[in-house]
Amino acid sequence: MSTPQTPAAGLPGLLSELAWRDILHASTPGLQERLATGRLIAAYIGFDPTASSLHVGHLIPIFGLIRLQRRGGRPVALVGGGTGLIGDPSFRSADRPMLSLDVARANADAIHVQLARFLDFTPGPIGAVMANNLDWLGKMSMIEYLRDIGKHFTVPYMLAKDSVQVRLEKGLSFTEFSYMTLQAIDFQHLYRNYGVEMQMGGADQWGNITAGLELIRRSAAAAGDGEAVAHGISYKLLLAPSGAKFGKSEAGESVWLDAARTTPFAFYQYWLNADDRDVATYMRWFTLWGPDEVASLDAAIAERPGDREAQRRLAYDVTARVHGDPAAQDAVEISAALFQRDPVSDPRLLARIHAATSGPVVGPGAVEGGVALLLAEAGLAPSRGEARRLVTGGGITVNGERISNPASVPTAVAGEWIEVRVGKRNRSVVRVNAG
RNA sequence: GGGUCGGUCGGGCAGGUGGUGAGCCCAAGGGUCUGUAAAACCCUCGCCUUCGGCUGUGGCAGUUCGAUUCUGCCCCGGCCCA
């Protein structure tokens, strides 16, 4: 981890900030000089509409745009409504599925809405802008493409990309091979129509970014004063030191930014449970905290790991950014109630926890059938046999009491709520539906 | 299209020659200790109505008292040839 030092303010300090946060992978020569002029710069990042929601992995590019805007740059979020129809082959081992036009469009719209939360779209010099590349890629004719774009790319240049090389053995369709030229068109289009001078992206995108630079350089050759007219930055791939798969819950599910897919409570819990070895990286990447604050939390991790101060601060900060302060506060309170030693007995609090965690609902028959049946019916155990094993193994606590007999019948609080703990971390409130 | 080798739990494997497949390793889950950690140790790990029962070796048939094993056709994957 780099030694924190206060970077210069504004755009001139952008690269050094990314460096001390240990995010910077590569940047084009001359970029620092361009930023040092302090002149306004616009930069973009592309988002593939492969799903109808962004997930925590997308926070990396999102923060890329946020940091740019805070330093006085104009962020441009490009949704790949057109490129998503093709599928980026970069470093993928197999063909990626192509999205249908309808799905790509619907996903692009949904992602649009999510991105709006993170950036300031107020019109102005640094107001964020959204674009969808289907708007221009969808209109381009094949003749236009081959004459104006294809002409600037040599096959050896395209073949030389690492991202292509790794696919040559396994096979690569012409469609996928052409992907980099589409992304280059995006860059050129944004360069010409929005004044975008820079593209940012993950390290796996470097080949695509440079393809865009190549297209802009060749097609703007008339300018010809030798100075680079466009730039690129790539971010390191996030490798969690603990070896954990970033962005996956303990159950192996993706952690989404959409509250309907991942509740704010689950989202908060994901960050709170970050491994000590990973939290240092996460707080650098996923917050706007400065060097001093980061250093003090580094110290807190080292001196009082049990307090998990960094995890708590991180979890709150990210949850608040994604879901808002009230939701983050709610997640903190619910976590406190659910993970204290004593069971929750207040029906109103139980109802609140049930709602915030999207707790399971079962019929009265599931309760009368005993704990094992209840666990299976509530989806807290995959099968009745598994539920039985959990109970006999001492892993189940109901309303604060450890249960050892799979057939025992639990009592619902206020006739409606049952607090169930499966192991230590998985805690939930089950609602018994009398009707 | 032809040949060949394979398809056994989430992943990787063992199960020469027809005689009981619920075994192993990893991953995962639970417990103890903890911080809702990590590490370590212990337990579990197909399904069910659980002192017992059922299903299951890619699919469908066949031979047989009995098939992972033998036969036929089909599906899927690797490699070689065209």
Side-chain angles (χ1 to χ4, degrees):
Chain A
M1 211 59 64
S2 313
T3 310
Q5 51 190 356
T6 307
L11 288 171
L14 181 64
L15 290 178
S16 52
E17 176 185 350
L18 294 178
W20 79 253
R21 288 185 188 277
D22 205 25
I23 295 174
L24 190 64
H25 174 258
S27 63
T28 46
L31 176 57
Q32 182 55 45
E33 288 72 15
R34 168 62 185 86
L35 292 170
T37 66
R39 224 162 69 238
L40 176 67
I41 192 167
Y44 89 99
I45 298 186
F47 294 85
D48 269 342
T50 45
S52 64
S53 171
L54 298 169
H55 53 74
V56 287
H58 289 113
L59 287 173
I60 297 168
I62 287 170
F63 268 98
L65 294 175
I66 292 174
R67 294 202 168 91
L68 177 77
Q69 189 169 42
R70 282 169 53 88
R71 288 184 169 276
R74 180 203 285 277
V76 176
L78 176 70
V79 179
T83 37
L85 296 171
I86 302 304
D88 183 1
S90 296
F91 302 103
R92 300 283 167 158
S93 55
D95 234 31
R96 295 178 80 182
M98 292 196 280
L99 301 169
S100 75
L101 189 58
D102 287 346
V103 171
R105 200 189 302 274
N107 289 351
D109 289 346
I111 287 169
H112 232 93
V113 172
Q114 289 189 332
L115 286 172
R117 271 186 244 155
F118 300 100
L119 300 164
D120 183 359
F121 284 86
T122 311
I126 65 167
V129 175
M130 290 235 211
N132 186 333
N133 63 18
L134 186 60
D135 293 345
W136 54 87
L137 293 178
K139 287 179 192 149
M140 184 173 270
S141 76
M142 181 177 254
I143 297 298
E144 191 185 350
Y145 169 73
L146 291 174
R147 287 181 61 97
D148 297 345
I149 308 301
K151 180 177 178 297
H152 294 296
F153 288 96
T154 67
V155 170
Y157 170 83
M158 293 172 72
L159 282 174
K161 300 278 185 194
D162 283 351
S163 53
V164 170
Q165 284 294 318
V166 298
R167 284 292 300 276
L168 287 180
E169 293 264 320
K170 281 279 177 186
L172 174 74
S173 68
F174 179 72
T175 302
E176 291 191 290
F177 181 56
S178 315
Y179 183 89
M180 73 176 78
T181 67
L182 295 194
Q183 198 162 317
I185 293 169
D186 289 344
F187 199 170
Q188 185 191 51
H189 181 90
L190 294 172
Y191 175 78
R192 288 178 174 170
N193 298 282
Y194 293 75
V196 171
E197 285 176 67
M198 177 163 75
Q199 182 180 181
M200 307 181 285
D204 59 336
Q205 291 299 307
W206 188 247
N208 291 330
I209 292 172
T210 55
L213 294 173
E214 180 79 358
L215 178 61
I216 291 171
R217 191 178 62 76
R218 285 172 171 259
S219 58
D225 55 2
E227 192 185 326
V229 294
H231 299 277
I233 287 178
S234 65
Y235 306 130
K236 288 186 178 178
L237 295 181
L238 178 55
L239 297 174
S242 69
K245 289 163 264 169
F246 177 73
K248 297 287 181 187
S249 70
E250 305 213 359
E253 292 154 350
S254 291
V255 179
W256 302 95
L257 303 192
D258 180 0
R261 290 195 188 211
T262 300
T263 63
F265 168 77
F267 189 85
Y268 175 85
Q269 285 283 318
Y270 171 75
W271 296 101
L272 183 66
N273 282 318
D275 193 288
D276 289 352
R277 290 166 292 177
D278 300 332
V279 72
T281 302
Y282 293 170
M283 68 182 177
R284 282 166 173 76
W285 286 48
F286 303 112
T287 75
L288 298 173
W289 300 337
D292 294 344
E293 196 156 14
V294 165
S296 91
L297 286 171
D298 275 340
I301 297 166
E303 289 158 23
R304 301 177 303 280
D307 290 351
R308 290 193 295 165
E309 191 182 341
Q311 279 95 333
R312 288 177 202 284
R313 293 277 312 282
L314 171 72
Y316 186 90
D317 197 87
V318 184
T319 307
R321 186 175 303 283
V322 173
H323 295 294
D325 274 301
Q329 192 55 46
D330 201 48
V332 171
E333 286 167 20
I334 284 167
S335 295
L338 215 40
F339 286 97
Q340 65 177 346
R341 190 167 286 279
D342 300 324
V344 183
S345 55
D346 177 6
R348 280 171 308 177
L349 186 51
L350 285 164
R352 206 177 134 207
I353 293 170
H354 183 267
T357 56
S358 297
V361 178
V362 299
V367 181
E368 286 150 19
V371 191
L373 182 63
L374 174 68
L375 288 166
E377 291 286 314
L380 297 173
S383 73
R384 224 175 292 184
E386 174 67 19
R388 190 178 296 276
R389 269 194 299 278
L390 282 167
V391 174
T392 39
I396 301 298
T397 304
V398 173
N399 292 332
E401 239 178 290
R402 180 168 290 186
I403 304 299
S404 55
N405 177 10
S408 75
V409 178
T411 315
V413 175
E416 195 175 11
W417 310 106
I418 303 175
E419 189 200 307
V420 182
R421 301 180 176 181
V422 181
K424 284 187 168 180
R425 282 184 262 183
N426 184 357
R427 303 187 172 197
S428 49
V429 171
V430 178
R431 174 160 178 249
V432 184
N433 191 345

